[in-house]
């Protein structure tokens, strides 16, 4: 089940509203359950470097069906996934990317946000995600 | 002079309207005058392979300040620019990418469209471009 | 607002003067506000490996509108931006890259220097930056 | 024998003079005999897409010790080097790149120019090359 463009836009609108509330300037990306870009929005004055980071956060969240920050906990030096960022053309494993899961437990895609502190990035991604569902996948089997 | 997000969205809205009129399913990308992604929109049922093509068309149009199809005429076997597609991380040189130039002759960015025949891609890109200005750059000097 | 070639050359000349004063052999890169290369200068006997590092430092400084060393403080193991170097085709996040901001608070581009200790790299980048303005961006809104 | 920065700058100055005479806006790159960037200069209003092309032309000329246009004659469909552009991270095989050979027949590097018609690109590269020597390598053995 892929996110529709209508839903992707709804998520982005909620993310923008939260970004403005926080006085931040964000790049916001939504990918579908195949990790392919569905919609992207760069607010004026957002960092140019955040374009790629927001897209990579969204992809990373779909690649493994979990928040990017969870992967980052495991990829530290000495951790079980150290260096995983080298895969898949480059991952971003700090907070700001969240899977988007519907009421049936199906992952429809993910949202990635970059442009401020990771706390703000995460808050804006959360606002976008909540417009559509949850970030929590059920135990396997889950489908995309 | 970079395109604003408000203008990028206006271009995308006009492009979507044209795409629907033509019964097509398009990926539409807008980049700024530095060839960095500003906004992206993938209609439901558009080809996944068109994501990258639409972005590369927009970038290509900014890279050389001309419609992508003009470059393609010169890059054919035996032509003066044969193989130029190998530069800049990959160019797309068939129609569907257009620079966007304001009333002062300043290139603010470009639009790239992919998802149907090149004639349709070009028509949809044209609709988006016309929402903001023209695709014709004046003779030098022009600025970005 | 993109840095002009005249200004880019002025920055490089000041950077070279400082590099000679420090008895170092540097690669010096200037990019515009779109992170695209404007001018590059490799002093004789500079490390070949510093070509790419100097360019990446300049790009990194524009990507996020801050000195590269500031990003490096946040990207250490356990830090909030751990692994950010995997984005944007590869970042360099130790000192030696500085944004260049004009008197109106507009970021016109950045300078990146590599070839010696990071302290020397930073000193040479600073000399180049000061030829044109400051490295301090005002609080938002700022424009490129 | 690598080109010195003093010589690279002399070549670029002659190339700029020719570019202005032709009313063109060029990117000019000089690489050493290891195909590593020595100096780069982007004239104001030059195409952003020409940055990479000028550098790739200079590299291509060193890679094979011949003008880029000569390789392009061999890389056409049905030709003996068809598809060679896929090697070495991307070649550019139309005119505008020339090796630079000193009086002893030693290739010290190459110059690559992009920004106008290939005839103009070639003329500007020729002006830069002639500031330092010739583009003609002697029969083997020749050294770099």
């Amino acid at each position: 089940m892929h996110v529709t463009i209508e839903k992707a836009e709804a998520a982005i609108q909620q993310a923008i509203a939260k970004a403005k509330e926080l006085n931040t300037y964000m790049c916001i990306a939504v990918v579908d359950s195949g990790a392919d870009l569905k919609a992207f929005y760069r607010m004026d004055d957002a960092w140019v470097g955040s374009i790629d980071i927001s897209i990579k956060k969204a992809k990373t969240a779909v690649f493994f069906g979990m928040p990017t920050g969870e992967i980052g906990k495991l990829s530290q030096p000495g951790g079980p996934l150290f260096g995983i960022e080298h895969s898949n053309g480059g991952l971003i494993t700090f907070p700001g990317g969240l899977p988007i899961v519907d009421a049936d437990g199906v992952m429809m895609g993910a949202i990635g946000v970059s442009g401020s502190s990771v706390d703000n990035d995460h808050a804006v991604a959360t606002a976008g995600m909540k417009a559509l569902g949850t970030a929590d996948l059920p135990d396997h089997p889950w489908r995309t």
Side-chain angles (χ1 to χ4, degrees), chain A:
Chain A
M1 234 293 281
H2 292 308
V3 64
T4 61
I5 186 66
E6 187 185 11
K7 288 189 174 176
E9 287 202 295
I12 287 178
Q13 286 311 313
Q14 289 303 310
I16 293 170
K18 185 68 178 179
K20 288 181 176 173
E21 181 190 318
L22 295 170
N23 262 320
T24 57
Y25 304 83
M26 297 295 199
C27 290
I28 305 161
V30 174
V31 301
D32 64 20
S33 61
D36 295 311
L37 192 64
K38 187 72 184 181
F40 174 82
Y41 185 100
R42 172 157 55 110
M43 294 171 72
D44 293 331
D45 294 325
W47 291 323
V48 169
S50 286
I51 300 169
D52 186 55
I53 292 177
S54 65
I55 296 173
K56 281 189 165 62
K57 282 182 179 176
K59 287 177 181 275
T60 299
V62 155
F63 283 152
F64 303 104
M66 67 180 76
T68 49
E70 296 303 307
I71 301 168
K73 292 178 188 168
L74 304 172
S75 69
Q76 298 296 316
L81 301 184
F82 177 62
I84 193 172
E85 293 84 0
H86 291 272
S87 70
N88 293 288
L91 302 180
I92 292 294
T93 57
F94 48 83
L98 292 172
I100 303 175
V101 180
D102 71 12
D104 296 326
V106 176
M107 181 167 64
M108 69 178 82
I111 185 168
V113 175
S114 173
S116 179
S117 68
V118 293
D119 285 347
N120 282 339
D121 292 355
H122 181 73
V124 171
T126 299
M129 173 272 292
K130 283 192 173 167
L132 303 186
T134 171
D136 298 315
L137 272 75
D139 284 347
H140 269 296
W142 51 265
R143 298 123 293 151
T144 58

